[in-house]
Amino acid sequence: MIVAVIPAKEGSTRLPQKNMMEVDGAPLVVHAIRQARSVRQVEKVYVSTDSDAIAALAEENGAGVVRRGADLAGDTALIDVYCHALNAIGEEGITHILGVQPDHPGRKSDMDGSIDYALANDIDDLFTVDRHGKRNGALRLLSVKALRARPTIYPSAYRDDCVNIHTRTDLALADHERSPFSREIAVEGHRIGPGHPTFIIAEAACNHMCDVDMAKKMIDLAAEAGADAIKFQTYKAERLARREAKLYWEGKETSQIEYYGRLDRFGAAEYETLFAHAREKGIIGFSTPFDPENASMLNDLGMPLFKIASCDLPDSRLLRRVAGFGKPVILSVGGANTEEIDRAVATIFETGNHQLVLMSCMLSYPTPDENADLLRIRALKDRYPDIIIGLSDHTEPDPNMVIPALGAALGASAIEKHYTLDRSKTGSGHFFSVTPEDLKAMVANIRLAERVLGEGRLEVAEVEEAARGSARRSIVAERPIRSGEVIDSSMLGMKRPADGLPGWMIDQVVGKRAKRDIGADEALSLDIVE
């Protein structure tokens, strides 16, 4: 008999009252009870706790309760908790304890399958690990023999790459793990995420130089080039920079406020006009707000998604305002470390909005090719496997517009590239932006990358069948072989087509006798040898 034991103490050092915290509308301990009760081999489920509140919750959800004292409520080894529970339950016939820790609500492994695997292979101690091989508590199956023997039996590992909750960020990620937005986000008919066409954004910024007609032309040409969206930037210089803030890039101005003061003239009326024009052209128009006031203004215009720039990743007030609209959020992470990214992600998810795309980005304008580090895309996908990852590329346009397509090949679900009508213009980010012609080539390359990537299945593809039959070779007689003659390797060759025995079967032919005369160049089969 297998019984499940859920260790759920009241205290938690890093995340107080962790086991009672909610993910997807239910406390963590309740998720563990529900999951344990769903396992067909488990006959009874118990919660081991020192908490009256957790005990009551366990009984409400159909689990038995094992009370433990203060001596087992601190940093006690779980093996001691399981031994205590086994003794407290005291039932005859228990063969295994299934340990199910509450801080893994997004279990991804087949719990029944893992138990079947352990029983079929006579494994006494099976525990789960993440994709890096790090041990976690998603599941642990212990035979009573192993439990009594403790460290004398060598354990086996089983993969379950779910979030292990220790911190506020982990809690937010675990909540997101169960969200449908961990796989795709929908924006006005477009689906963003793995398996969908790359969402291509022409980053117009303020390269329109506050000229509505120029901005409309940029929309027209971006749509013609095949971009899915065109994005602007919305700010007020006095809310963006202090007067003494100096430029951190090349320019004629001496201060940031002077620079941005010439580009901040668009307001609600202009954006309403531009967004309407974009809809007419079949392209999504949106903008990056740099302060809460402009964020609210853009939301009031019905903007369908938002972008937050890398420089504002630490601005929790802006993050909460934008995420609070309940619309998709694209967040660039250039110039940020993992602690800062974790904090920003948690801030967004804690609003209840899980529609997030993280953009790999190098906060350098322009970014030298050798510093582009496109492998950041993979690093982000590895660290945040349940968040959609994209690329905001700041390299100068290469002659063949290859770099963004490489980003798509590495798994970026969205690509953003600065865009201008004329790279020779000054006063904004024209010099490192793509032209309409570049943008068209970029879109074509990304779409080509999508077509050639395929699905990575290691099997014979339909398009390979004809060549496989004609180009592979079969075992043939190099010379006539008389009936009764013992066949040795020197008598055999390999020739096309593949209508006879394959080369790996040659050892099944060598040393055998020919049952009949075999002509030169004849393909061999097993029925003509003995």
Side-chain angles (χ1 to χ4, degrees):
M1 178 171 66
I2 299 175
V3 297
V5 174
I6 298 167
K9 63 184 179 181
E10 182 173 24
S12 178
T13 305
R14 285 181 282 187
L15 200 58
Q17 299 292 321
K18 176 174 70 174
N19 291 319
M20 292 290 281
M21 289 187 166
E22 291 192 358
V23 161
D24 196 21
L28 294 179
V29 67
V30 172
H31 283 292
I33 293 169
R34 291 171 179 171
Q35 290 166 346
R37 292 187 65 191
S38 72
V39 180
R40 58 179 166 77
Q41 296 101 320
V42 169
E43 295 197 23
K44 295 183 180 180
V45 177
Y46 295 89
V47 174
S48 171
T49 187
D50 60 332
S51 164
D52 291 339
I54 292 176
L57 200 58
E59 290 173 345
E60 289 173 13
N61 286 272
V65 175
V66 174
R67 292 284 191 165
R68 51 172 147 145
D71 59 320
L72 290 174
D75 293 329
T76 307
L78 280 175
I79 198 80
D80 293 326
V81 174
Y82 295 140
C83 281
H84 172 264
L86 179 63
N87 293 331
I89 295 167
E91 289 193 27
E92 295 290 334
I94 296 177
T95 59
H96 293 78
I97 294 287
L98 178 68
V100 181
Q101 291 179 229
D103 46 7
H104 299 76
R107 288 173 178 81
K108 297 179 179 178
S109 61
D110 175 5
M111 296 177 75
D112 276 304
S114 60
I115 293 172
D116 289 340
Y117 170 77
L119 297 179
N121 292 279
D122 200 24
I123 295 171
D124 289 296
D125 187 356
L126 180 72
F127 64 85
T128 48
V129 296
D130 65 16
R131 64 191 178 284
H132 302 297
K134 184 178 180 181
R135 188 169 180 163
N136 61 36
L139 174 148
R140 187 173 186 184
L141 184 70
L142 284 153
S143 71
V144 170
K145 179 175 66 173
L147 199 55
R148 301 298 189 200
R150 296 171 68 87
T152 61
I153 294 179
Y154 191 77
S156 298
Y158 195 87
R159 179 169 168 172
D160 192 323
D161 196 30
C162 57
V163 175
N164 189 354
I165 300 174
H166 293 300
T167 66
R168 166 183 164 234
T169 299
D170 294 336
L171 189 70
L173 288 172
D175 204 17
H176 178 72
E177 189 175 39
R178 300 173 67 88
S179 162
F181 301 117
S182 65
R183 295 174 291 280
E184 65 177 28
I185 292 168
V187 183
E188 295 197 340
H190 296 266
R191 295 192 179 276
I192 308 173
H196 296 295
T198 308
F199 188 70
I200 301 173
I201 305 166
E203 163 62 297
C206 290
N207 286 348
H208 48 63
M209 308 307 293
C210 299
D211 182 327
V212 171
D213 289 335
M214 184 183 294
K216 284 184 175 181
K217 186 175 181 181
M218 294 182 79
I219 291 170
D220 295 345
L221 295 177
E224 288 178 16
D228 299 297
I230 183 167
K231 189 185 75 64
F232 303 103
Q233 294 181 4
T234 308
Y235 48 76
K236 288 297 177 185
E238 66 272 15
R239 292 202 292 261
L240 186 61
R242 291 158 56 189
R243 295 203 170 274
E244 60 267 31
K246 302 298 182 185
L247 295 183
Y248 56 93
W249 63 93
E250 295 180 6
K252 296 180 180 179
E253 300 82 358
T254 59
S255 70
Q256 290 191 40
I257 200 162
E258 179 186 352
Y259 174 88
Y260 289 116
R262 297 187 299 103
L263 299 170
D264 67 354
R265 300 170 195 168
F266 277 5
E270 288 80 9
Y271 285 113
E272 186 173 27
T273 296
L274 295 179
F275 295 161
H277 187 72
R279 283 192 295 273
E280 290 175 6
K281 297 297 179 179
I283 190 171
I284 297 172
F286 71 114
S287 187
T288 298
F290 283 76
D291 56 75
E293 293 79 7
N294 274 311
S296 293
M297 179 270 289
L298 292 167
N299 186 57
D300 290 343
L301 293 175
M303 199 169 76
L305 76 160
F306 282 79
K307 167 75 187 295
I308 296 177
S310 292
C311 57
D312 287 328
L313 180 142
D315 188 345
S316 58
R317 183 177 65 167
L318 181 59
L319 293 178
R320 290 190 189 102
R321 176 70 64 88
V322 170
F325 299 141
K327 297 175 180 179
V329 178
I330 298 174
L331 173 64
S332 281
V333 300
N337 58 40
T338 53
E339 181 181 350
E340 292 171 326
I341 299 171
D342 285 351
R343 186 186 302 115
V345 167
T347 299
I348 290 172
F349 288 164
E350 285 169 356
T351 68
N353 187 350
H354 290 271
Q355 300 177 79
L356 177 64
V357 179
L358 288 182
M359 302 290 272
S360 175
C361 173
M362 190 63 70
L363 196 63
S364 173
Y365 305 94
T367 300
D369 290 351
E370 61 271 21
N371 298 128
D373 198 3
L374 295 186
L375 288 179
R376 278 187 173 184
I377 297 167
R378 286 187 176 174
L380 285 169
K381 289 173 73 71
D382 186 60
R383 184 174 180 84
Y384 307 102
D386 295 301
I387 297 179
I388 297 166
I389 305 300
L391 169 67
S392 182
D393 176 31
H394 292 151
T395 59
E396 290 195 68
D398 64 272
N400 298 303
M401 293 308 301
V402 169
I403 294 174
L406 291 175
L410 287 168
S413 293
I415 301 284
E416 176 187 81
K417 188 74 174 170
H418 279 256
Y419 162 62
T420 182
L421 296 180
D422 185 351
R423 293 187 68 196
S424 67
K425 287 183 177 293
T426 59
S428 188
H430 300 282
F431 70 102
F432 66 93
S433 299
V434 296
T435 64
E437 293 76 18
D438 295 329
L439 181 61
K440 187 174 183 179
M442 182 184 106
V443 172
N445 284 346
I446 290 172
R447 300 304 179 218
L448 175 61
E450 292 168 348
R451 289 198 300 275
V452 302
L453 280 174
E455 299 177 13
R457 293 197 302 267
L458 296 177
E459 58 186 41
V460 180
E462 183 178 347
V463 296
E464 294 177 301
E465 292 288 358
R468 175 185 166 93
S470 297
R472 284 196 171 192
R473 294 180 281 178
S474 301
I475 302 171
V476 301
E478 286 279 32
R479 63 163 177 80
I481 302 173
R482 297 186 304 276
S483 177
E485 193 172 1
V486 176
I487 300 171
D488 63 44
S489 181
S490 66
M491 301 175 184
L492 304 175
M494 294 294 300
K495 294 184 181 181
R496 297 174 177 178
D499 57 356
L501 297 178
W504 62 268
M505 294 186 69
I506 196 166
D507 291 339
Q508 297 181 43
V509 175
V510 172
K512 300 287 181 68
R513 292 182 183 274
K515 293 170 67 175
R516 61 167 175 80
D517 289 344
I518 302 171
D521 233 19
E522 181 180 345
L524 270 70
S525 60
L526 293 179
D527 62 355
I528 62 173
V529 298
E530 60 182 359

